[in-house]
Amino acid sequence: RRSFEVCDLVVYQSNFNKRLTEAYFGDHKKSVVINNGTCFETISNIQPLSHPELDKYSEVWSCGSSWRPHKRLKDNIGYFLENAPEDSCMVVAGENPDHVIKHPRVFYVGQLSWEQCISLYKRSKVFVHLAFLDHCPNVAVDARASGCKLVVTSSGGTKEIVGVGDIVVEDLDWDLKPIDL
């Protein structure tokens, strides 16, 4: 809070992040919202993931995170299983996957480098990020910049980066009060 009060400018990563901070610290004399970004030029130079196992499927869907309960891995996979074509697969990237669902069309690849993630996203048709109250996740920004259709929740700031054709799944309308994630 002290840093907030003494700084000349506050940069928020989403309107959600601004609303949340102001609910606790009040308005700042000068602030701006700049959603997280990525490097389109670098992304354009990365090739889509090539893997013979993925060639068996009509579509590749993906998700990625440092998995914790509010990132909702179980829900991401559930959404995929309910909505993706029967001949598609889901690639789950990231460390510490909780709620692992064993399914022949779901692959867990663990922690990937940024370049490997971009390569995966460029191979993916859909990126699912049903996290609860995420502010402006880099994984979703990178996936969208890589050409993925996004599926995100209405809670938090992730919905602020969606584009035409993306899907926003309705979620809890949070009152900004402390909550046990």
Side-chain angles (χ1 to χ4, degrees):
R1 181 172 192 142
R2 185 173 178 278
S3 295
F4 177 85
E5 292 170 352
V6 300
C7 68
D8 294 324
L9 172 70
V10 175
V11 179
Y12 299 101
Q13 64 180 343
S14 62
N15 286 302
F16 165 74
N17 187 243
K18 180 178 191 221
R19 197 167 40 96
L20 175 60
T21 303
E22 288 178 347
Y24 286 88
F25 294 171
D27 292 343
H28 192 274
K29 60 186 175 253
K30 189 171 182 184
S31 67
V32 64
V33 174
I34 303 175
N35 292 121
N36 287 347
T38 193
C39 184
F40 287 97
E41 183 178 348
T42 302
I43 288 173
S44 72
N45 292 318
I46 296 173
Q47 294 301 308
L49 178 63
S50 177
H51 194 284
E53 186 66 27
L54 299 180
D55 293 340
K56 299 175 184 177
Y57 299 95
S58 67
E59 292 180 8
V60 175
W61 288 36
S62 59
C63 62
S65 185
S66 176
W67 297 105
R68 306 178 295 287
H70 67 283
K71 296 295 184 170
R72 295 177 166 163
L73 176 57
K74 181 179 177 184
D75 296 313
N76 288 351
I77 295 170
Y79 186 93
F80 162 75
L81 292 173
E82 290 177 23
N83 295 284
E86 288 293 321
D87 60 346
S88 62
C89 70
M90 166 73 98
V91 179
V92 178
E95 59 190 0
N96 306 316
D98 58 348
H99 295 88
V100 170
I101 295 173
K102 292 188 182 209
H103 192 280
R105 295 188 297 130
V106 178
F107 303 102
Y108 299 87
V109 296
Q111 186 70 24
L112 302 177
S113 69
W114 182 81
E115 290 81 6
Q116 290 171 320
C117 286
I118 298 301
S119 183
L120 169 61
Y121 304 155
K122 288 182 87 170
R123 177 69 186 261
S124 301
K125 180 174 184 176
V126 178
F127 183 82
V128 182
H129 191 76
L130 297 177
F132 181 57
L133 301 177
D134 218 338
H135 293 255
C136 188
N138 290 322
V139 291
V141 170
D142 288 336
R144 180 160 186 242
S146 298
C148 291
K149 174 180 179 174
L150 296 181
V151 177
V152 303
T153 60
S154 63
S155 70
T158 313
K159 66 180 178 275
E160 297 176 33
I161 62 166
V162 298
V164 175
D166 292 337
I167 296 172
V168 178
V169 177
E170 286 302 313
D171 202 357
L172 174 75
D173 187 19
W174 185 43
D175 61 6
L176 303 178
K177 293 190 171 125
I179 188 169
D180 183 1
L181 293 176

